Structure formats: C-alpha cells, structure tokens
Amino acid sequence: MRDSFLPFSPPYIDEEDRRALDEVLRSGWISTGPKTSMFEQEFLKATSGESALALNSCTAGLHLALRVLEIGPGDEVITTPMTFCASANVIEHVGATTCFVDVDPATLLIDPRKIEARITEKTKAIIPVHYAGQLCDMGRINKIASDNGLHVIEDGAHLMPADLKGNKNLVAFSFYANKNITTGEGGMLVGPEDLIKRARVLSLHGMNKDAWKRYDKSGSWKYDVVIPGYKYNMTDLQAAMGLTQLKKLDHFYEHRKEAFIYFTEALRGVEGVEPIKTDFEKSSFHLFVVRIKKEILGLNRDEFVESMKKKNIGVSVHYQSLHTSSYYSQKYGSQKENLSHAGQAGEEVVSLPISPSYSKKDYDDIIFSLRSVVSLR
Ligand SMILES: *Cc1c(COP(=O)(O)O)cnc(C)c1O
C-alpha cells in the first residue's frame, strides 16, 4: 500500500505559472486589466470562439448567460441532473423553473430524445453539460432548439480543449482548481459578440466603463450605472495563470488521454467496475468515471470510496443526481420514474483520480488499490 495519501486530481502548477503570478504582483495592477484581456484573446485563439469574457467562475458565466438571454420568472429551462449543482442553481437564481431530463445510461449525457418530450410553451433554454469531458450530441440538441425557438447554453466546465468554430451558443468554462486548466477559481463565457458585450457590462456592477480604463492616465473617473450588475470579473492574477496554463494544455490533454487508456486497459476484466462509454476521438478526458456494481461486488459505491481512502487513494463522486438533493426534491418532487437512469448512476459512479502532476507509479497505485479493494469480497 502507498505510504502517503494521493489527493484527488490536484492541479499541475510549475515554475512558469509561479513566474507569471510574480510578474503581475510586481506590476502594480492586480485586478482586471491587460492580462485579463490577453487571456480572453488567447482563449479565443485556442478554441476558435467568437467573443470571450473572463469571469471569476463558470457559475458566473452560466448566470450571466441566462440574464443576457432575459430568462426569468415563468420560464422553464431544461438541464441534466447528472451535473454539479451550479448548472441548475443559476436557473433558480433568475427565478426560472428547472426541468431535469434523464441521461443516456451509457454515457450519462442528457438524452436528446427526452429533451423533446419535456418542452412546453414556457421552455426558453436548454443547458446541456459536457459531462466528464464528453461532448453532448450538439447536432441533435441545436436542431431541437432551433425547431422550438430555444436558446442553448453549454456548460463546458469539463472541457478544454474545445472547438467552438461556428458555434452560436453561449458556452461557459471553469478554471476551478481541479478542472482541465486552472486559475484557482475562474471562468470564461464565450459566444456571439453582442451577447458577450452585454454580459461584460453585467459582470462589473453594470458600469459602462471598467476600472482598468478609468484609472488609466487617459481615462476619466466618470462612469454611469446602466443596470444593477454583479461582481463577477476575473483578476489579472488569475488571468496570468490562465495564460501559462493554456500553454500547457496540449501536454495536459495528452496526459489525460494516456491515463484514460491506462485505466481502460487495466479495468478490462475487472468485474463490477464498469467505465462509462467514452468516445476517445471527442473527449477532453476530464473525469474517468466508473460504475460500482453492488450486485456483483457485494460492496456499494460509498463503501468503495471509503475502502480506497483507507488504501490512501482519494477518489471522488461526480455526481449524486441533483434531483435527489433536498432543495430540488422538495421543490419539484422525487421524479424517480422520469429520472431513473440518473438516479441509479448517481448511486454508482466514482471518478478515479487523474492529474498531470501524477507519476506512472501513482497510476499503478490507484489500480493496485482498486484491485485489492474489489477482490477482498
Ligand atoms: C465545476 C463545475 C461548475 C462550476 O464551475 P465554477 O468555476 O466552480 O463556478 C459548473 N458545472 C460543472 C459541470 C462543473 O463541474
């Protein structure tokens, strides 16, 4: 057994990131400024997106997306329950109604066939989540949206890399500590220029000029408040790290892909530990998700997580299906029948840890521990 605990998916941070942060600290400007602009531009180059707004989180991006599309009370928004709570919480924040649609049991991505059945005259938008780094069937989802006059807001928190060429939706990315690239906390909203322009005003108090321009020598202290906005801006400290993380993206991607290949091979023939279906051509390999089959192993997911911890391996759960949480089940009822695939997956899924900071030995330890945990039964 390992003698030290392997934490779940820590960020990979190197000298390049530290130097970039130090440079900003010494520059005299640590809030939103030139680095933030540069990060937006580089992010667009990396994704072929149209327009970008750097924010302090992906949650902020999703919230602003709903606001600029003017979605609010009386409106319904469709999303998946197999996601982080933020994807649905933002729907509640704007006073709209959250409509959960069940997932495909093989991929755990929102099932497009079931989206259509959930559309009413109140439906305004769909928030598909690219769960675990797999791409939702956007051809189908965009078609359903255009046929029914709906907006699409993509939760891309698990993406990077991403290809946004020709994409007309708003897409929100996360740079939280364990995401594919990180700025500690941070996010990016990408989409059509007119919508991003409006989101930019809302992201900084609804002021018509940002601080960077006001404090510049050529700037004026004068500003107007055109709408009561939020405090969602990214800082140059975060952006500097975003820039250096972006430079390492190819390396991160290769590392994650290799980890997926390694886990897939190593688990072949391990009964009762079933990886979800992954398209290796399209994934950004964020989470390696397996289902723990209690009927085969004699141990459930929660016991598996505890046993792995005892072996000094930190695994995680993405996610307990959101419709089973207190808030959503009290507000919308149990929805057990309609969301049966998500409900079952929510009790079985475990994410094995992946990080570009892990060594080959770390991966061997994960598999060795997993094998001993499941064969003890
Ligand atoms: C992490 C995550 C978010 C929220 O990202 P933040 O940057 O922490 O706000 C939203 N959706 C999904 C699917 C996530 O995993």
PDB file of all heavy atoms in Angstrom, residues 56-60 62 82-87 129-131 155-158 173-176 178-179 185-187 286 318-319, ligand 1:
ATOM      1  N   ASN A  56     -14.982  35.360 -12.713  1.00  0.00           N
ATOM      2  CA  ASN A  56     -14.409  34.709 -11.532  1.00  0.00           C
ATOM      3  C   ASN A  56     -14.892  33.273 -11.330  1.00  0.00           C
ATOM      4  O   ASN A  56     -14.433  32.587 -10.427  1.00  0.00           O
ATOM      5  CB  ASN A  56     -14.619  35.567 -10.279  1.00  0.00           C
ATOM      6  CG  ASN A  56     -16.083  35.828  -9.983  1.00  0.00           C
ATOM      7  OD1 ASN A  56     -16.965  35.212 -10.592  1.00  0.00           O
ATOM      8  ND2 ASN A  56     -16.357  36.727  -9.066  1.00  0.00           N
ATOM      9  N   SER A  57     -15.818  32.811 -12.169  1.00  0.00           N
ATOM     10  CA  SER A  57     -16.222  31.397 -12.114  1.00  0.00           C
ATOM     11  C   SER A  57     -17.057  31.033 -13.343  1.00  0.00           C
ATOM     12  O   SER A  57     -17.553  31.918 -14.061  1.00  0.00           O
ATOM     13  CB  SER A  57     -17.055  31.102 -10.850  1.00  0.00           C
ATOM     14  OG  SER A  57     -18.337  31.688 -10.949  1.00  0.00           O
ATOM     15  N   CYS A  58     -17.211  29.744 -13.526  1.00  0.00           N
ATOM     16  CA  CYS A  58     -18.107  29.231 -14.566  1.00  0.00           C
ATOM     17  C   CYS A  58     -19.561  29.492 -14.160  1.00  0.00           C
ATOM     18  O   CYS A  58     -20.405  29.797 -14.999  1.00  0.00           O
ATOM     19  CB  CYS A  58     -17.857  27.728 -14.718  1.00  0.00           C
ATOM     20  SG  CYS A  58     -18.995  26.866 -15.798  1.00  0.00           S
ATOM     21  N   THR A  59     -19.818  29.390 -12.870  1.00  0.00           N
ATOM     22  CA  THR A  59     -21.162  29.656 -12.356  1.00  0.00           C
ATOM     23  C   THR A  59     -21.605  31.064 -12.755  1.00  0.00           C
ATOM     24  O   THR A  59     -22.743  31.269 -13.202  1.00  0.00           O
ATOM     25  CB  THR A  59     -21.184  29.525 -10.813  1.00  0.00           C
ATOM     26  OG1 THR A  59     -20.633  28.250 -10.461  1.00  0.00           O
ATOM     27  CG2 THR A  59     -22.577  29.652 -10.256  1.00  0.00           C
ATOM     28  N   ALA A  60     -20.698  32.037 -12.603  1.00  0.00           N
ATOM     29  CA  ALA A  60     -20.990  33.416 -13.009  1.00  0.00           C
ATOM     30  C   ALA A  60     -21.332  33.453 -14.497  1.00  0.00           C
ATOM     31  O   ALA A  60     -22.259  34.158 -14.913  1.00  0.00           O
ATOM     32  CB  ALA A  60     -19.793  34.313 -12.711  1.00  0.00           C
ATOM     33  N   LEU A  62     -22.606  31.042 -16.406  1.00  0.00           N
ATOM     34  CA  LEU A  62     -23.928  30.453 -16.645  1.00  0.00           C
ATOM     35  C   LEU A  62     -25.027  31.423 -16.220  1.00  0.00           C
ATOM     36  O   LEU A  62     -26.043  31.583 -16.899  1.00  0.00           O
ATOM     37  CB  LEU A  62     -24.061  29.126 -15.881  1.00  0.00           C
ATOM     38  CG  LEU A  62     -23.140  27.983 -16.332  1.00  0.00           C
ATOM     39  CD1 LEU A  62     -23.151  26.843 -15.314  1.00  0.00           C
ATOM     40  CD2 LEU A  62     -23.545  27.467 -17.714  1.00  0.00           C
ATOM     41  N   MET A  82     -27.347  15.040 -13.805  1.00  0.00           N
ATOM     42  CA  MET A  82     -26.006  14.480 -13.572  1.00  0.00           C
ATOM     43  C   MET A  82     -24.977  15.580 -13.790  1.00  0.00           C
ATOM     44  O   MET A  82     -24.222  15.586 -14.773  1.00  0.00           O
ATOM     45  CB  MET A  82     -25.721  13.307 -14.522  1.00  0.00           C
ATOM     46  CG  MET A  82     -26.277  11.993 -14.039  1.00  0.00           C
ATOM     47  SD  MET A  82     -25.736  11.539 -12.369  1.00  0.00           S
ATOM     48  CE  MET A  82     -24.114  10.869 -12.707  1.00  0.00           C
ATOM     49  N   THR A  83     -24.959  16.529 -12.872  1.00  0.00           N
ATOM     50  CA  THR A  83     -24.069  17.676 -13.004  1.00  0.00           C
ATOM     51  C   THR A  83     -23.798  18.273 -11.644  1.00  0.00           C
ATOM     52  O   THR A  83     -24.438  17.912 -10.645  1.00  0.00           O
ATOM     53  CB  THR A  83     -24.687  18.735 -13.952  1.00  0.00           C
ATOM     54  OG1 THR A  83     -23.727  19.769 -14.188  1.00  0.00           O
ATOM     55  CG2 THR A  83     -25.953  19.347 -13.373  1.00  0.00           C
ATOM     56  N   PHE A  84     -22.854  19.204 -11.630  1.00  0.00           N
ATOM     57  CA  PHE A  84     -22.608  19.970 -10.419  1.00  0.00           C
ATOM     58  C   PHE A  84     -23.803  20.896 -10.191  1.00  0.00           C
ATOM     59  O   PHE A  84     -24.427  21.363 -11.153  1.00  0.00           O
ATOM     60  CB  PHE A  84     -21.315  20.782 -10.597  1.00  0.00           C
ATOM     61  CG  PHE A  84     -20.916  21.523  -9.361  1.00  0.00           C
ATOM     62  CD1 PHE A  84     -20.682  20.853  -8.172  1.00  0.00           C
ATOM     63  CD2 PHE A  84     -20.777  22.903  -9.382  1.00  0.00           C
ATOM     64  CE1 PHE A  84     -20.316  21.541  -7.027  1.00  0.00           C
ATOM     65  CE2 PHE A  84     -20.412  23.596  -8.239  1.00  0.00           C
ATOM     66  CZ  PHE A  84     -20.178  22.923  -7.065  1.00  0.00           C
ATOM     67  N   CYS A  85     -24.108  21.154  -8.937  1.00  0.00           N
ATOM     68  CA  CYS A  85     -25.332  21.903  -8.601  1.00  0.00           C
ATOM     69  C   CYS A  85     -25.411  23.269  -9.285  1.00  0.00           C
ATOM     70  O   CYS A  85     -26.511  23.784  -9.528  1.00  0.00           O
ATOM     71  CB  CYS A  85     -25.466  22.051  -7.090  1.00  0.00           C
ATOM     72  SG  CYS A  85     -24.068  22.851  -6.301  1.00  0.00           S
ATOM     73  N   ALA A  86     -24.255  23.856  -9.637  1.00  0.00           N
ATOM     74  CA  ALA A  86     -24.259  25.199 -10.220  1.00  0.00           C
ATOM     75  C   ALA A  86     -25.060  25.261 -11.516  1.00  0.00           C
ATOM     76  O   ALA A  86     -25.718  26.280 -11.792  1.00  0.00           O
ATOM     77  CB  ALA A  86     -22.830  25.666 -10.483  1.00  0.00           C
ATOM     78  N   SER A  87     -25.038  24.192 -12.325  1.00  0.00           N
ATOM     79  CA  SER A  87     -25.739  24.196 -13.615  1.00  0.00           C
ATOM     80  C   SER A  87     -27.229  24.465 -13.428  1.00  0.00           C
ATOM     81  O   SER A  87     -27.865  25.070 -14.293  1.00  0.00           O
ATOM     82  CB  SER A  87     -25.589  22.851 -14.346  1.00  0.00           C
ATOM     83  OG  SER A  87     -24.308  22.339 -14.241  1.00  0.00           O
ATOM     84  N   VAL A 129     -24.778  19.678 -20.445  1.00  0.00           N
ATOM     85  CA  VAL A 129     -23.496  19.648 -19.730  1.00  0.00           C
ATOM     86  C   VAL A 129     -22.606  18.603 -20.392  1.00  0.00           C
ATOM     87  O   VAL A 129     -23.025  17.452 -20.551  1.00  0.00           O
ATOM     88  CB  VAL A 129     -23.709  19.291 -18.239  1.00  0.00           C
ATOM     89  CG1 VAL A 129     -22.375  19.212 -17.499  1.00  0.00           C
ATOM     90  CG2 VAL A 129     -24.644  20.301 -17.567  1.00  0.00           C
ATOM     91  N   HIS A 130     -21.406  19.004 -20.768  1.00  0.00           N
ATOM     92  CA  HIS A 130     -20.487  18.065 -21.420  1.00  0.00           C
ATOM     93  C   HIS A 130     -19.791  17.235 -20.346  1.00  0.00           C
ATOM     94  O   HIS A 130     -18.587  17.369 -20.100  1.00  0.00           O
ATOM     95  CB  HIS A 130     -19.509  18.817 -22.311  1.00  0.00           C
ATOM     96  CG  HIS A 130     -20.184  19.601 -23.394  1.00  0.00           C
ATOM     97  ND1 HIS A 130     -20.941  18.995 -24.377  1.00  0.00           N
ATOM     98  CD2 HIS A 130     -20.262  20.931 -23.639  1.00  0.00           C
ATOM     99  CE1 HIS A 130     -21.426  19.930 -25.201  1.00  0.00           C
ATOM    100  NE2 HIS A 130     -21.034  21.113 -24.768  1.00  0.00           N
ATOM    101  N   TYR A 131     -20.608  16.376 -19.727  1.00  0.00           N
ATOM    102  CA  TYR A 131     -20.205  15.603 -18.551  1.00  0.00           C
ATOM    103  C   TYR A 131     -18.937  14.780 -18.772  1.00  0.00           C
ATOM    104  O   TYR A 131     -18.847  14.051 -19.762  1.00  0.00           O
ATOM    105  CB  TYR A 131     -21.379  14.683 -18.179  1.00  0.00           C
ATOM    106  CG  TYR A 131     -21.114  13.709 -17.067  1.00  0.00           C
ATOM    107  CD1 TYR A 131     -21.129  14.123 -15.737  1.00  0.00           C
ATOM    108  CD2 TYR A 131     -20.866  12.365 -17.343  1.00  0.00           C
ATOM    109  CE1 TYR A 131     -20.894  13.217 -14.717  1.00  0.00           C
ATOM    110  CE2 TYR A 131     -20.645  11.453 -16.330  1.00  0.00           C
ATOM    111  CZ  TYR A 131     -20.652  11.883 -15.016  1.00  0.00           C
ATOM    112  OH  TYR A 131     -20.418  10.990 -14.011  1.00  0.00           O
ATOM    113  N   ASP A 155     -22.801  24.067 -20.747  1.00  0.00           N
ATOM    114  CA  ASP A 155     -21.938  24.020 -19.572  1.00  0.00           C
ATOM    115  C   ASP A 155     -20.688  23.243 -19.979  1.00  0.00           C
ATOM    116  O   ASP A 155     -20.707  22.010 -20.071  1.00  0.00           O
ATOM    117  CB  ASP A 155     -22.666  23.348 -18.404  1.00  0.00           C
ATOM    118  CG  ASP A 155     -21.818  23.296 -17.134  1.00  0.00           C
ATOM    119  OD1 ASP A 155     -20.575  23.310 -17.247  1.00  0.00           O
ATOM    120  OD2 ASP A 155     -22.404  23.236 -16.035  1.00  0.00           O
ATOM    121  N   GLY A 156     -19.624  23.993 -20.252  1.00  0.00           N
ATOM    122  CA  GLY A 156     -18.366  23.394 -20.714  1.00  0.00           C
ATOM    123  C   GLY A 156     -17.325  23.307 -19.603  1.00  0.00           C
ATOM    124  O   GLY A 156     -16.123  23.305 -19.883  1.00  0.00           O
ATOM    125  N   ALA A 157     -17.787  23.223 -18.352  1.00  0.00           N
ATOM    126  CA  ALA A 157     -16.856  23.192 -17.208  1.00  0.00           C
ATOM    127  C   ALA A 157     -15.863  22.035 -17.301  1.00  0.00           C
ATOM    128  O   ALA A 157     -14.764  22.115 -16.766  1.00  0.00           O
ATOM    129  CB  ALA A 157     -17.635  23.109 -15.893  1.00  0.00           C
ATOM    130  N   HIS A 158     -16.273  20.938 -17.975  1.00  0.00           N
ATOM    131  CA  HIS A 158     -15.386  19.776 -18.054  1.00  0.00           C
ATOM    132  C   HIS A 158     -14.580  19.748 -19.344  1.00  0.00           C
ATOM    133  O   HIS A 158     -13.873  18.780 -19.607  1.00  0.00           O
ATOM    134  CB  HIS A 158     -16.204  18.483 -17.937  1.00  0.00           C
ATOM    135  CG  HIS A 158     -16.867  18.330 -16.606  1.00  0.00           C
ATOM    136  ND1 HIS A 158     -17.608  17.226 -16.269  1.00  0.00           N
ATOM    137  CD2 HIS A 158     -16.891  19.139 -15.516  1.00  0.00           C
ATOM    138  CE1 HIS A 158     -18.069  17.369 -15.033  1.00  0.00           C
ATOM    139  NE2 HIS A 158     -17.653  18.526 -14.566  1.00  0.00           N
ATOM    140  N   PHE A 173     -17.038  28.051 -19.351  1.00  0.00           N
ATOM    141  CA  PHE A 173     -15.915  27.183 -18.963  1.00  0.00           C
ATOM    142  C   PHE A 173     -15.527  27.466 -17.513  1.00  0.00           C
ATOM    143  O   PHE A 173     -15.732  28.585 -17.025  1.00  0.00           O
ATOM    144  CB  PHE A 173     -14.701  27.462 -19.859  1.00  0.00           C
ATOM    145  CG  PHE A 173     -14.913  27.099 -21.295  1.00  0.00           C
ATOM    146  CD1 PHE A 173     -15.463  28.007 -22.186  1.00  0.00           C
ATOM    147  CD2 PHE A 173     -14.576  25.831 -21.759  1.00  0.00           C
ATOM    148  CE1 PHE A 173     -15.666  27.684 -23.517  1.00  0.00           C
ATOM    149  CE2 PHE A 173     -14.775  25.487 -23.093  1.00  0.00           C
ATOM    150  CZ  PHE A 173     -15.322  26.417 -23.978  1.00  0.00           C
ATOM    151  N   SER A 174     -14.924  26.467 -16.871  1.00  0.00           N
ATOM    152  CA  SER A 174     -14.471  26.628 -15.489  1.00  0.00           C
ATOM    153  C   SER A 174     -12.967  26.424 -15.373  1.00  0.00           C
ATOM    154  O   SER A 174     -12.411  25.524 -16.004  1.00  0.00           O
ATOM    155  CB  SER A 174     -15.168  25.608 -14.580  1.00  0.00           C
ATOM    156  OG  SER A 174     -14.649  25.688 -13.258  1.00  0.00           O
ATOM    157  N   PHE A 175     -12.347  27.257 -14.537  1.00  0.00           N
ATOM    158  CA  PHE A 175     -10.926  27.081 -14.229  1.00  0.00           C
ATOM    159  C   PHE A 175     -10.743  26.838 -12.736  1.00  0.00           C
ATOM    160  O   PHE A 175      -9.761  27.252 -12.129  1.00  0.00           O
ATOM    161  CB  PHE A 175     -10.120  28.307 -14.692  1.00  0.00           C
ATOM    162  CG  PHE A 175     -10.437  28.738 -16.098  1.00  0.00           C
ATOM    163  CD1 PHE A 175     -10.815  30.053 -16.372  1.00  0.00           C
ATOM    164  CD2 PHE A 175     -10.396  27.825 -17.154  1.00  0.00           C
ATOM    165  CE1 PHE A 175     -11.134  30.455 -17.662  1.00  0.00           C
ATOM    166  CE2 PHE A 175     -10.724  28.223 -18.450  1.00  0.00           C
ATOM    167  CZ  PHE A 175     -11.087  29.531 -18.697  1.00  0.00           C
ATOM    168  N   TYR A 176     -11.731  26.178 -12.128  1.00  0.00           N
ATOM    169  CA  TYR A 176     -11.637  25.769 -10.732  1.00  0.00           C
ATOM    170  C   TYR A 176     -10.417  24.841 -10.568  1.00  0.00           C
ATOM    171  O   TYR A 176      -9.938  24.255 -11.542  1.00  0.00           O
ATOM    172  CB  TYR A 176     -12.947  25.069 -10.328  1.00  0.00           C
ATOM    173  CG  TYR A 176     -12.921  24.552  -8.920  1.00  0.00           C
ATOM    174  CD1 TYR A 176     -12.907  25.443  -7.846  1.00  0.00           C
ATOM    175  CD2 TYR A 176     -12.883  23.185  -8.650  1.00  0.00           C
ATOM    176  CE1 TYR A 176     -12.851  24.970  -6.546  1.00  0.00           C
ATOM    177  CE2 TYR A 176     -12.827  22.710  -7.351  1.00  0.00           C
ATOM    178  CZ  TYR A 176     -12.806  23.613  -6.297  1.00  0.00           C
ATOM    179  OH  TYR A 176     -12.735  23.140  -5.024  1.00  0.00           O
ATOM    180  N   ASN A 178      -9.542  21.835  -9.793  1.00  0.00           N
ATOM    181  CA  ASN A 178      -9.305  20.502 -10.382  1.00  0.00           C
ATOM    182  C   ASN A 178      -9.841  20.358 -11.813  1.00  0.00           C
ATOM    183  O   ASN A 178      -9.979  19.251 -12.321  1.00  0.00           O
ATOM    184  CB  ASN A 178      -9.847  19.393  -9.465  1.00  0.00           C
ATOM    185  CG  ASN A 178     -11.349  19.465  -9.311  1.00  0.00           C
ATOM    186  OD1 ASN A 178     -12.042  20.135 -10.076  1.00  0.00           O
ATOM    187  ND2 ASN A 178     -11.868  18.774  -8.315  1.00  0.00           N
ATOM    188  N   LYS A 179     -10.116  21.481 -12.477  1.00  0.00           N
ATOM    189  CA  LYS A 179     -10.569  21.403 -13.873  1.00  0.00           C
ATOM    190  C   LYS A 179      -9.367  21.240 -14.817  1.00  0.00           C
ATOM    191  O   LYS A 179      -8.217  21.300 -14.387  1.00  0.00           O
ATOM    192  CB  LYS A 179     -11.399  22.643 -14.217  1.00  0.00           C
ATOM    193  CG  LYS A 179     -12.679  22.749 -13.365  1.00  0.00           C
ATOM    194  CD  LYS A 179     -13.741  21.732 -13.762  1.00  0.00           C
ATOM    195  CE  LYS A 179     -14.764  21.433 -12.678  1.00  0.00           C
ATOM    196  NZ  LYS A 179     -15.707  22.480 -12.370  1.00  0.00           N
ATOM    197  N   GLU A 185      -9.620  29.830  -9.005  1.00  0.00           N
ATOM    198  CA  GLU A 185     -11.037  29.985  -9.313  1.00  0.00           C
ATOM    199  C   GLU A 185     -11.073  30.812 -10.588  1.00  0.00           C
ATOM    200  O   GLU A 185     -10.232  31.693 -10.776  1.00  0.00           O
ATOM    201  CB  GLU A 185     -11.794  30.756  -8.225  1.00  0.00           C
ATOM    202  CG  GLU A 185     -11.808  30.124  -6.846  1.00  0.00           C
ATOM    203  CD  GLU A 185     -12.886  29.053  -6.677  1.00  0.00           C
ATOM    204  OE1 GLU A 185     -13.612  28.772  -7.654  1.00  0.00           O
ATOM    205  OE2 GLU A 185     -12.970  28.514  -5.574  1.00  0.00           O
ATOM    206  N   GLY A 186     -12.054  30.571 -11.426  1.00  0.00           N
ATOM    207  CA  GLY A 186     -12.144  31.379 -12.644  1.00  0.00           C
ATOM    208  C   GLY A 186     -13.061  30.744 -13.658  1.00  0.00           C
ATOM    209  O   GLY A 186     -13.405  29.563 -13.556  1.00  0.00           O
ATOM    210  N   GLY A 187     -13.477  31.539 -14.631  1.00  0.00           N
ATOM    211  CA  GLY A 187     -14.349  31.024 -15.683  1.00  0.00           C
ATOM    212  C   GLY A 187     -14.257  31.885 -16.929  1.00  0.00           C
ATOM    213  O   GLY A 187     -13.666  32.973 -16.906  1.00  0.00           O
ATOM    214  N   HIS A 286     -11.871  14.701 -18.933  1.00  0.00           N
ATOM    215  CA  HIS A 286     -11.847  15.373 -17.626  1.00  0.00           C
ATOM    216  C   HIS A 286     -11.967  14.387 -16.469  1.00  0.00           C
ATOM    217  O   HIS A 286     -11.181  14.426 -15.539  1.00  0.00           O
ATOM    218  CB  HIS A 286     -12.943  16.432 -17.547  1.00  0.00           C
ATOM    219  CG  HIS A 286     -12.978  17.131 -16.228  1.00  0.00           C
ATOM    220  ND1 HIS A 286     -11.863  17.738 -15.686  1.00  0.00           N
ATOM    221  CD2 HIS A 286     -13.972  17.299 -15.308  1.00  0.00           C
ATOM    222  CE1 HIS A 286     -12.173  18.256 -14.507  1.00  0.00           C
ATOM    223  NE2 HIS A 286     -13.436  17.997 -14.268  1.00  0.00           N
ATOM    224  N   HIS A 318     -18.868  12.204  -8.995  1.00  0.00           N
ATOM    225  CA  HIS A 318     -19.473  13.206  -9.883  1.00  0.00           C
ATOM    226  C   HIS A 318     -20.611  12.544 -10.646  1.00  0.00           C
ATOM    227  O   HIS A 318     -20.362  11.928 -11.659  1.00  0.00           O
ATOM    228  CB  HIS A 318     -18.460  13.751 -10.883  1.00  0.00           C
ATOM    229  CG  HIS A 318     -17.240  14.353 -10.259  1.00  0.00           C
ATOM    230  ND1 HIS A 318     -16.128  13.610  -9.950  1.00  0.00           N
ATOM    231  CD2 HIS A 318     -16.972  15.619  -9.881  1.00  0.00           C
ATOM    232  CE1 HIS A 318     -15.211  14.401  -9.409  1.00  0.00           C
ATOM    233  NE2 HIS A 318     -15.688  15.617  -9.349  1.00  0.00           N
ATOM    234  N   TYR A 319     -21.822  12.564 -10.218  1.00  0.00           N
ATOM    235  CA  TYR A 319     -22.340  13.314  -9.098  1.00  0.00           C
ATOM    236  C   TYR A 319     -23.420  12.474  -8.442  1.00  0.00           C
ATOM    237  O   TYR A 319     -23.930  11.538  -9.052  1.00  0.00           O
ATOM    238  CB  TYR A 319     -22.982  14.627  -9.572  1.00  0.00           C
ATOM    239  CG  TYR A 319     -21.981  15.534 -10.266  1.00  0.00           C
ATOM    240  CD1 TYR A 319     -21.789  15.432 -11.647  1.00  0.00           C
ATOM    241  CD2 TYR A 319     -21.226  16.449  -9.551  1.00  0.00           C
ATOM    242  CE1 TYR A 319     -20.856  16.245 -12.283  1.00  0.00           C
ATOM    243  CE2 TYR A 319     -20.302  17.260 -10.193  1.00  0.00           C
ATOM    244  CZ  TYR A 319     -20.118  17.147 -11.545  1.00  0.00           C
ATOM    245  OH  TYR A 319     -19.195  17.941 -12.179  1.00  0.00           O
TER     246      TYR A 319
HETATM  247  C1  LIG B   1     -17.092  22.969 -11.718  1.00  0.00           C
HETATM  248  C2  LIG B   1     -18.387  22.984 -12.421  1.00  0.00           C
HETATM  249  C3  LIG B   1     -19.184  24.137 -12.499  1.00  0.00           C
HETATM  250  C4  LIG B   1     -18.878  25.373 -11.742  1.00  0.00           C
HETATM  251  O1  LIG B   1     -17.650  25.883 -12.002  1.00  0.00           O
HETATM  252  P1  LIG B   1     -17.093  27.091 -11.103  1.00  0.00           P
HETATM  253  O2  LIG B   1     -15.994  27.651 -11.923  1.00  0.00           O
HETATM  254  O3  LIG B   1     -16.619  26.471  -9.829  1.00  0.00           O
HETATM  255  O4  LIG B   1     -18.207  28.037 -10.892  1.00  0.00           O
HETATM  256  C5  LIG B   1     -20.320  24.097 -13.272  1.00  0.00           C
HETATM  257  N1  LIG B   1     -20.696  22.979 -13.913  1.00  0.00           N
HETATM  258  C6  LIG B   1     -19.979  21.850 -13.838  1.00  0.00           C
HETATM  259  C7  LIG B   1     -20.435  20.655 -14.602  1.00  0.00           C
HETATM  260  C8  LIG B   1     -18.811  21.807 -13.070  1.00  0.00           C
HETATM  261  O5  LIG B   1     -18.129  20.668 -12.963  1.00  0.00           O
END
